[in-house]
């Protein structure tokens, strides 16, 4: 059966994904099972998505309840769950308004469009350019791959969308030098996820904020990976004592249901008028009812405090590995967005882990990334660390 389904998939699916030869059939909390009944501890969480673990009972309950009530009506009408979720996001962030889409890329598309629209609205149409960071990742649609500072994401799709300039992350002078009369915004991730769990240096984010104020340009935070508690705070920007003007969310917002959100301050959000932007599926009752339960559970169960504590513990164990093994070059990240750079191809370690019942992944060839559900416990971390200690 296993072989058949995997062959079937390879035969009929687009050839965009290189997959592990595993057919996953069931999940619960931090555990996944394949069709052979083998279990895996999940340190990937569907790429930082299932923050509350798989098949969380309260979210499943909320989803089933909504599935028996109302799924979709379009944004021609009001629906309750989306209104309440938007209010929750506004109350718990810097923002005043929310636009819902279905993915991270779509949230970033909305942010890019809003930044352009805002300056048109302000009578400065020349300010359409956006500065982005080298090694950033903002998505796979044409606009968001154009905003992405990685050649491998852009390759083959020329000409990309005009209007993006790139500077190295953590280089404040390069940023200052790049800002010109056509610059309208700076977009960046508080911690670069796909780029290798690269964290900002002391004072960098504060300086970026300051420069954006000085130059009258917008600061856009892509919190698609860092948001919703992943770093030990609800949003990544809260680590720096600053606030962006626009923020994008997706991944963990729905714990696996497809939802993205673009949040902005009132003055900027006002640039979108009825008809300016839209999404058929954006913020359906079904998805927003589940996402609302996700955010409420995050608070009710003190998941973010747990993430901060267990993340510190996990990082201390990775640093312990670094002390013991020359093959470990660096340990980085905060909360449960952690990376460990090794001096060889990460793929062999990832495959060995898979064989032994641990799902981890690797970014930028040699940086092992650990992004488990935020509910992960010490025992699971100890088991993984003991195994890594053995194979490193
Ligand atoms: C995953 C990710 C995206 C893209 O999200 P999709 O839902 O795959 O479109 C954008 N930005 C960051 C920082 C991400 O981690």
């Amino acid at each position: 059966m296993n072989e058949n389904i995997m062959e079937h998939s390879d035969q009929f699916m687009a050839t965009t994904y290189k997959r592990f030869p595993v057919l996953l059939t069931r999940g619960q909390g931090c555990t996944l099972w394949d069709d052979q009944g083998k279990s895996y501890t999940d340190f990937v969480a569907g790429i930082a998505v299932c923050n509350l673990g798989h098949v969380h009972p309260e979210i499943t309950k909320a989803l089933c309840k909504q599935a028996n009530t109302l799924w979709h009506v379009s944004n021609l009408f009001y629906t309750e769950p989306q209104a309440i979720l938007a209010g929750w996001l506004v109350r718990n962030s810097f923002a005043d308004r929310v636009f819902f889409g279905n993915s991270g890329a779509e949230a970033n598309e909305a942010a890019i469009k809003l930044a352009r629209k805002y300056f048109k609205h302000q009578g400065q149409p020349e300010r359409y350019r956006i500065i982005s960071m080298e090694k950033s990742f903002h998505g796979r649609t044409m606009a968001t791959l154009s905003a992405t500072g990685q050649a491998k994401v852009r390759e083959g799709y020329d000409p990309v969308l005009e209007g993006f300039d790139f500077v190295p992350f953590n280089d404040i002078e390069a940023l200052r030098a790049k800002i010109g009369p056509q610059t309208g915004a700076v977009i960046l991730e508080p911690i670069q996820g796909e780029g290798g769990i690269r964290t900002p240096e002391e004072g960098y984010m504060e300086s970026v904020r300051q420069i954006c104020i000085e130059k009258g340009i917008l600061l856009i935070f892509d919190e698609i990976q860092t948001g919703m508690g992943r770093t030990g705070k609800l949003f990544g920007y809260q680590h720096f004592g600053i606030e962006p003007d626009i923020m994008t969310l997706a991944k963990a917002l729905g714990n696996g249901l497809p939802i993205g959100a673009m949040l902005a301050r009132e003055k900027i959000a006002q640039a979108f008028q009825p008809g300016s932007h839209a999404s058929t599926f954006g913020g359906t009752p079904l998805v927003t009812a589940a996402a609302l339960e996700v955010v409420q559970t995050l608070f009710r169960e003190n998941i973010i405090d747990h993430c901060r504590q267990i993340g510190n513990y996990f990082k201390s164990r990775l640093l312990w590995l670094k002390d013991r093994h020359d093959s470990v070059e660096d340990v980085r990240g905060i909360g449960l967005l952690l990376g460990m750079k090794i001096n060889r191809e990460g793929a062999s370690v990832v495959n060995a882990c898979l064989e032994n019942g641990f799902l981890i992944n690797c970014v930028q060839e040699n940086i092992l990334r650990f992004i488990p559900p935020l509910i992960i416990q010490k025992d699971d971390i100890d088991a993984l660390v003991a195994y890594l200690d053995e194979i490193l």
Side-chain angles (χ1 to χ4, degrees):
M1 190 61 195
N2 181 345
E3 297 274 292
N4 280 346
I5 292 292
M6 291 194 282
E7 272 171 27
H8 200 82
S9 177
D10 289 342
Q11 184 180 352
F12 296 112
M13 290 288 299
T15 49
T16 46
Y17 302 110
K18 183 167 172 285
R19 299 181 202 264
F20 295 106
V22 176
L23 179 65
L24 295 173
T25 53
R26 194 162 63 85
Q28 187 76 70
C30 298
T31 308
L32 287 162
W33 285 270
D34 69 14
D35 64 327
Q36 310 293 302
K38 179 175 168 184
S39 71
Y40 303 84
T41 311
D42 185 7
F43 287 86
V44 177
I47 316 185
V49 167
C50 305
N51 277 10
L52 302 176
H54 299 279
V55 196
H56 188 289
E58 295 303 317
I59 298 159
T60 302
K61 205 166 102 193
L63 181 65
C64 291
K65 185 163 174 249
Q66 190 62 40
N68 280 303
T69 309
L70 186 67
W71 289 31
H72 173 89
V73 293
S74 87
N75 286 299
L76 294 172
F77 307 98
Y78 291 99
T79 54
E80 187 174 314
Q82 83 167 201
I84 296 179
L85 179 63
W88 191 97
L89 289 169
V90 163
R91 270 200 315 284
N92 289 286
S93 74
F94 70 94
D96 301 304
R97 291 188 183 273
V98 183
F99 175 85
F100 289 118
N102 306 287
S103 67
E106 219 187 313
N108 282 337
E109 285 273 343
I112 292 164
K113 286 180 72 175
L114 181 62
R116 285 194 176 186
K117 193 91 176 169
Y118 171 73
F119 283 104
K120 300 272 188 304
H121 201 71
Q122 294 280 101
Q124 296 178 283
E126 71 283 2
R127 290 209 161 190
Y128 70 91
R129 303 193 71 84
I130 296 179
I131 298 178
S132 178
M133 301 293 143
E134 288 169 10
K135 294 212 166 109
S136 60
F137 182 76
H138 298 298
R140 301 284 194 157
T141 61
M142 275 314 290
T144 58
L145 76 81
S146 306
T148 291
Q150 298 189 53
K152 67 167 199 251
V153 174
R154 303 157 63 105
E155 198 192 296
Y157 300 111
D158 284 334
V160 299
L161 185 69
E162 216 263 317
F164 293 93
D165 300 306
F166 294 91
V167 295
F169 186 59
N170 270 330
D171 185 340
I172 200 72
E173 288 318 313
L175 174 64
R176 197 189 294 279
K178 199 61 137 193
I179 296 172
Q182 296 185 315
T183 306
V186 175
I187 184 167
L188 78 175
E189 302 153 80
I191 294 174
Q192 289 190 338
E194 305 303 310
I197 321 294
R198 297 168 74 225
T199 54
E201 279 161 17
E202 194 73 38
Y204 175 72
M205 284 299 179
E206 294 86 333
S207 301
V208 172
R209 175 69 279 184
Q210 197 49 42
I211 291 178
C212 289
I213 292 170
E214 273 167 36
K215 306 275 183 184
I217 60 182
L218 304 179
L219 178 58
I220 305 171
F221 268 10
D222 177 343
E223 295 242 19
I224 290 162
Q225 192 156 151
T226 53
M228 310 321 296
R230 173 62 51 188
T231 67
K233 291 194 188 279
L234 182 57
F235 303 118
Y237 74 80
Q238 293 167 331
H239 288 281
F240 314 113
I242 58 157
E243 292 177 342
D245 302 300
I246 298 175
M247 170 171 77
T248 53
L249 301 173
K251 293 204 162 89
L253 180 54
N255 207 57
L257 283 147
I259 181 169
M262 189 277 297
L263 290 77
R265 292 178 192 285
E266 179 69 9
K267 182 168 175 243
I268 299 152
Q270 281 291 341
F272 272 169
Q273 295 299 308
S276 291
H277 190 49
S279 171
T280 298
F281 292 127
T284 64
L286 187 68
V287 166
T288 49
L292 184 59
E293 186 57 39
V294 170
V295 297
Q296 287 170 345
T297 301
L298 210 53
F299 278 18
R300 190 178 62 241
E301 297 184 359
N302 286 322
I303 306 278
I304 300 179
D305 287 339
H306 175 74
C307 169
R308 193 162 46 236
Q309 283 158 19
I310 202 87
N312 282 340
Y313 174 73
F314 197 170
K315 191 171 182 179
S316 75
R317 297 311 290 157
L318 296 176
L319 286 166
W320 176 81
L321 286 174
K322 178 170 177 276
D323 276 347
R324 288 166 58 85
H325 301 279
D326 290 339
S327 54
V328 179
E329 293 183 348
D330 192 27
V331 170
R332 43 177 88 159
I334 40 177
L336 286 169
L337 181 54
L338 297 172
M340 186 164 83
K341 188 174 178 194
I342 56 174
N343 67 357
R344 56 176 130 125
E345 283 278 301
S348 61
V349 176
V350 171
N351 287 325
C353 282
L354 181 73
E355 279 286 301
N356 282 274
F358 299 103
L359 303 186
I360 66 168
N361 93 321
C362 177
V363 286
Q364 305 288 322
E365 269 77 63
N366 62 348
I367 299 160
L368 305 176
R369 176 170 57 172
F370 306 102
I371 41 175
L374 307 188
I375 58 170
I376 192 99
Q377 298 293 332
K378 191 168 170 292
D379 289 355
D380 290 326
I381 291 169
D382 289 343
L384 174 68
V385 168
Y387 180 64
L388 289 171
D389 187 41
E390 216 174 278
I391 60 165
L392 284 168

